Amino acid sequence: MPAPDLSLLIEAAQEAGRIATHHAKGPIDPWEKPDGTGPVTKADLAVNAMLAESLRAARPDYGWLSEESEDTAARLGHDRVFIIDPIDGTRSFIEGSETWAHALAVAEKGVVVAAVIYLPLRDKLYSAAAGQGAFLNGEPIRAGARADLAGASILATKANFTAENWLGGIVPDLKRAHRPSLAYRLSLVAEGKYDAMMTLRPSWEWDIAAGDLILREAGAQTSDRKAGPLIFNNPVPQVNGVVAANPALHLALHSALAK
């Protein structure tokens, strides 16, 4: 039986999918955010408005952090906080791709305890609650078991493979792939489709909070680029990169990364 917060997130994600799918029929008419952090669309704002209204009404004692809401310090005074990316992969949404996602999470005292990542056009709903396992469309999922770094498949951008990021300047023989949505990359590792996921630059919490729990509940290990734990609801809502894989491969990756 899903935890109450997880049931709430699943219902909200499904409604977000209906709203975004309607907007995807166009015209989309994107514009750039004034702070230069990327494009935004009416769909992003419509989904965010629905989520803010429904989730905050259901849990008025929770804090709120969303990519499309003005951030305030008020969330820091709450033990539980919603961490939301209304549409992760907005550029993909604009381009007509199917690889954008809704990423919804609840963190308690810095640790994610309920999470959903939903790709409506791919009919993929990943979910997890602390201690209850990870699921794709209601079926259990498990991260892969590969331990060898050489030949492992990893979701990462090309920028992660410059020599200065690796011990002794030696870049491992990894099979690199990419998906625009960070949340989807994390989910694909949890599902066992890829062996690992990595981003070495500072990452916004709303991109990775949901995937962090889904991965951990699927048996993977997550950390920042320095092997520290991922902690959420920070005053500046970022973490220092993300490395995710099964425990053996996670250790191998960190052993190969420059300190």
Side-chain angles (χ1 to χ4, degrees), residues 88-89 92 97 99-100 119 122 124 154-157 176-186 188 193-194 197:
D88 184 45
S92 294
S97 166
T99 55
W100 47 272
L119 287 81
R122 294 201 166 209
K124 300 182 84 167
I154 185 166
L155 289 157
T157 62
R176 190 188 71 83
H178 181 60
R179 296 292 184 278
S181 163
L182 244 173
Y184 189 32
R185 282 180 246 166
L186 294 162
L188 286 167
K193 294 285 189 182
Y194 290 86
M197 173 272 170

Side-chain angles (χ1 to χ4, degrees), residues 79-115:
D79 283 344
R80 284 202 171 205
V81 180
F82 289 111
I83 303 178
I84 305 294
D85 194 340
I87 298 180
D88 184 45
T90 295
R91 286 188 174 87
S92 294
F93 180 84
I94 294 166
E95 293 165 1
S97 166
E98 297 179 347
T99 55
W100 47 272
H102 308 293
L104 288 66
V106 172
E108 182 175 13
K109 297 181 179 178
V111 179
V112 182
V113 295

